[in-house]
Amino acid sequence: MSVGVLIAQENDNSLQMVTDRPDATESSSVVPKGFLQVETGGFYESYKNGVIKNEHFVYNTTLVRYGLFDNLELRLGWDLGKVKNKLNDNVVSSNLSEFSPLLFGIKVAIAEEKNGMPEIGLIGHLFLPFTVSKSIRPETTGVDFRFAFSHTLSKKSSMSYNLGAQWEDDSPEAAYVYTVAYGYGFTNKFGGFLELYGNLPDNSSANHLWDAGITYLVKPNLQLDASFGSSITEGQDILLSAGICFRLPN
């Protein structure tokens, strides 16, 4: 996310690590050629559907990024989680921990920030149904794409935003996606962000959410993060997330 960009600019280090977590906004930067970057963590979210409380536990959400060329990275991702449904604090249903369909995608660097114009990247993903067990296998392949933009506001602050669309598993309905994140570098190691994001499905109600969090750069190739959030429209009651990102070689 954009906090990493701030620190990189402040240190004038083109190889400074920039991550795509913990916020929903994907960075416009690609991983440098020949580097492998792993971004992993977990999150908890809950929301109510009538009298039923739904809890979603994701124990491992991992994105692996590899810089294939100076302007192109390959992306692989997967989640391991489970869902519990509760009525008056009593569990009425719970599924086994399952991996989500494997994410395969690319990110392309389109333009550098120059003369007031933002840095621009393009990201596309496929969610491959044949990579999960038949019991939870979707019938169709999920697809998403988004353009990622980044503006430097000062030596310590920046604005990043995404625009795109997604077609989820087993749903022919397109949902248009947006994110806007403001990042601030408190020090060379500590950064923070505040974000608004959501989606606008073709034939369903729009979903609007917010989150905020911090990052801590332990060393140039190792970052920790934590965040929390909720929905503005009816839906998510709370989101809690924490994770770690590292890059090889150092």
Side-chain angles (χ1 to χ4, degrees):
M1 59 93 56
S2 55
V3 172
V5 177
L6 301 175
I7 299 170
Q9 291 170 341
E10 195 168 336
N11 290 346
D12 192 26
N13 182 358
S14 61
L15 292 180
Q16 183 68 49
M17 186 168 64
V18 180
T19 69
D20 281 349
R21 62 162 298 127
D23 56 0
T25 301
E26 305 276 13
S27 69
S28 54
S29 302
V30 298
V31 172
K33 181 180 177 181
F35 284 81
L36 181 73
Q37 189 161 303
V38 179
E39 306 179 8
T40 187
F43 70 84
Y44 165 84
E45 65 176 342
S46 68
Y47 54 95
K48 278 196 171 182
N49 184 7
V51 296
I52 300 296
K53 180 180 180 181
N54 302 278
E55 294 183 322
H56 188 195
F57 301 85
V58 175
Y59 309 113
N60 178 49
T61 174
T62 297
L63 176 65
V64 178
R65 306 166 59 191
Y66 178 73
L68 187 62
F69 302 116
D70 290 335
N71 65 341
L72 175 68
E73 71 174 48
L74 301 180
R75 300 161 66 87
L76 288 175
W78 61 93
D79 295 343
L80 174 64
K82 68 183 301 181
V83 175
K84 287 184 179 181
N85 299 315
K86 291 184 175 181
L87 175 62
N88 298 325
D89 293 327
N90 296 314
V91 176
V92 294
S93 66
S94 177
N95 64 356
L96 297 174
S97 297
E98 295 275 8
F99 282 102
S100 65
L102 182 72
L103 171 155
F104 174 74
I106 61 171
K107 182 191 289 190
V108 181
I110 296 177
E112 297 181 354
E113 185 174 8
K114 181 188 287 188
N115 300 325
M117 298 299 291
E119 181 180 73
I120 304 173
L122 173 62
I123 306 163
H125 297 130
L126 298 175
F127 298 84
L128 306 175
F130 61 83
T131 59
V132 295
S133 63
K134 289 185 178 181
S135 62
I136 62 168
R137 182 177 300 171
E139 294 182 2
T140 60
T141 300
V143 178
D144 72 28
F145 78 91
R146 63 179 68 189
F147 288 93
F149 305 88
S150 297
H151 285 277
T152 301
L153 303 179
S154 71
K155 287 185 177 181
K156 290 192 173 184
S157 64
S158 72
M159 185 74 70
S160 300
Y161 50 97
N162 294 172
L163 295 171
Q166 63 186 22
W167 290 261
E168 294 185 340
D169 303 333
D170 289 339
S171 175
E173 183 181 24
Y176 302 98
V177 177
Y178 75 90
T179 75
V180 182
Y182 171 76
Y184 188 83
F186 301 108
T187 69
N188 286 346
K189 292 185 177 292
F190 275 106
F193 73 91
L194 180 63
E195 178 184 46
L196 176 67
Y197 64 103
N199 61 74
L200 296 86
D202 278 335
N203 301 308
S204 306
S205 299
N207 302 298
H208 304 291
L209 307 96
W210 68 271
D211 62 358
I214 58 172
T215 61
Y216 178 68
L217 196 67
V218 180
K219 51 185 182 178
N221 68 330
L222 179 62
Q223 177 180 285
L224 306 177
D225 64 66
S227 62
F228 67 96
S230 184
S231 62
I232 299 171
T233 52
E234 185 175 340
Q236 186 185 79
D237 297 318
I238 190 170
L239 169 71
L240 301 173
S241 174
I244 183 171
C245 304
F246 60 90
R247 191 174 67 188
L248 301 171
N250 188 350

